[in-house]
Amino acid sequence: MGQKAHPIGNRLGIIRGWDSNWFGGNHYADKLVEDEKIRKYLSARINKGGVSKIVIERTLKRITVTIHTARPGIVIGKGGAEVDKIKEELKKLTKKEVQINIFEIKRPELDAQLVAEGIAKQLEARISFRRAMKTTIASTMRMGAEGIKVMTSGRLGGAEMARSEQYKEGRIPLHTFRADIDYALAEALTTYGKIGVKVWICKGEVYGKRDLSPNIGGTSSASGKGGRPESAAGFGGRGNERGGERGGERRGDRKPGGDRRGGPGGGQGGNRGGGARPGGQGGGPNRGGGSRPGGSR
């Protein structure tokens, strides 16, 4: 029970490609360790660059590192100075020729890693965890995601006992392999301990064969049917049009023109108790109901 498969690892080779793209040969373990070193170093080095993922490709003598970032300006620096520095540092680390490419993420609200890190940063800034989760969910759904689930675990709100809370909106079909689900985990280092943040984002479903080469994946705009259909319900759950109609009808039925407070003098006088008991023939409104006719007052 409770042994859950990683949503991305589960879809590898079906609709997702690998983040490391090379042939290992006899030195598979060494290359794997080197990849991990590169990723750790870059995520610490470009801490505020909004880095979502780092794709590593290898040929015999060259390593190509592609950085997927929401803020390419910070990573590139003035006139590309920052990139050149990073390239030199990676050369020292790996002792191989390194090439760096930068890939801009157009819609960071649809990237699970950036969303999770955003919530973690808010928690570190002492913002209420419920508020952080709900505002994030709203902004992701507004950008056209089909569904999102956010879960935070730890000493929420500084409580003595650790617990986990989750909120979700839309659909997140984890058992459907063709569903394009992005998943990420981030940690908020608060004064009272670590709080884990997990985010699942469904961007639609992928039909047909998808190109699994690493830099095409679903990082920029997702293929498949992203977003909510036009006729579907808004945030409240019930369709907006229908809700509006019903509300209008009810109001119209209950308070038409001058029925409730008494109509104009003469004819059928208005009646405070409701329209069931008419208020006499001649005069103005009858306050007590229809037992005493208005007469010729």
Side-chain angles (χ1 to χ4, degrees), residues 17-89:
W18 284 259
D19 285 355
S20 290
N21 218 26
W22 38 262
F23 174 69
N26 296 328
H27 306 287
Y28 180 83
D30 300 337
K31 290 178 182 175
L32 199 63
V33 169
E34 200 170 72
D35 277 12
E36 187 57 26
K37 271 188 195 166
I38 291 170
R39 286 202 174 91
K40 260 192 183 165
Y41 177 77
L42 285 177
S43 51
R45 173 79 168 73
I46 319 165
N47 193 17
K48 293 177 180 167
V51 175
S52 160
K53 71 173 181 175
I54 294 160
V55 175
I56 299 171
E57 294 169 274
R58 291 169 185 267
T59 54
L60 275 174
K61 289 179 183 174
R62 179 184 284 181
I63 300 174
T64 306
V65 177
T66 307
I67 302 170
H68 291 246
T69 171
R71 298 176 186 166
I74 291 176
V75 181
I76 294 165
K78 262 191 183 174
E82 199 67 27
V83 169
D84 295 337
K85 269 189 203 170
I86 293 170
K87 193 185 281 187
E88 290 307 314
E89 288 159 11

Side-chain angles (χ1 to χ4, degrees), residues 15 19 25 64 77 104 117 142 152 163 169 180 183 239 261:
I15 61 161
D19 285 355
T64 306
E104 186 185 356
E117 282 172 12
R142 214 178 298 124
T152 51
R163 69 183 196 276
E169 189 163 330
D180 187 3
Y183 165 80
R261 300 239 162 164

Side-chain angles (χ1 to χ4, degrees), residues 35 56 91 135 138 200-201 208 224:
D35 277 12
I56 299 171
K91 264 186 195 173
T135 51
W200 294 257
I201 296 175

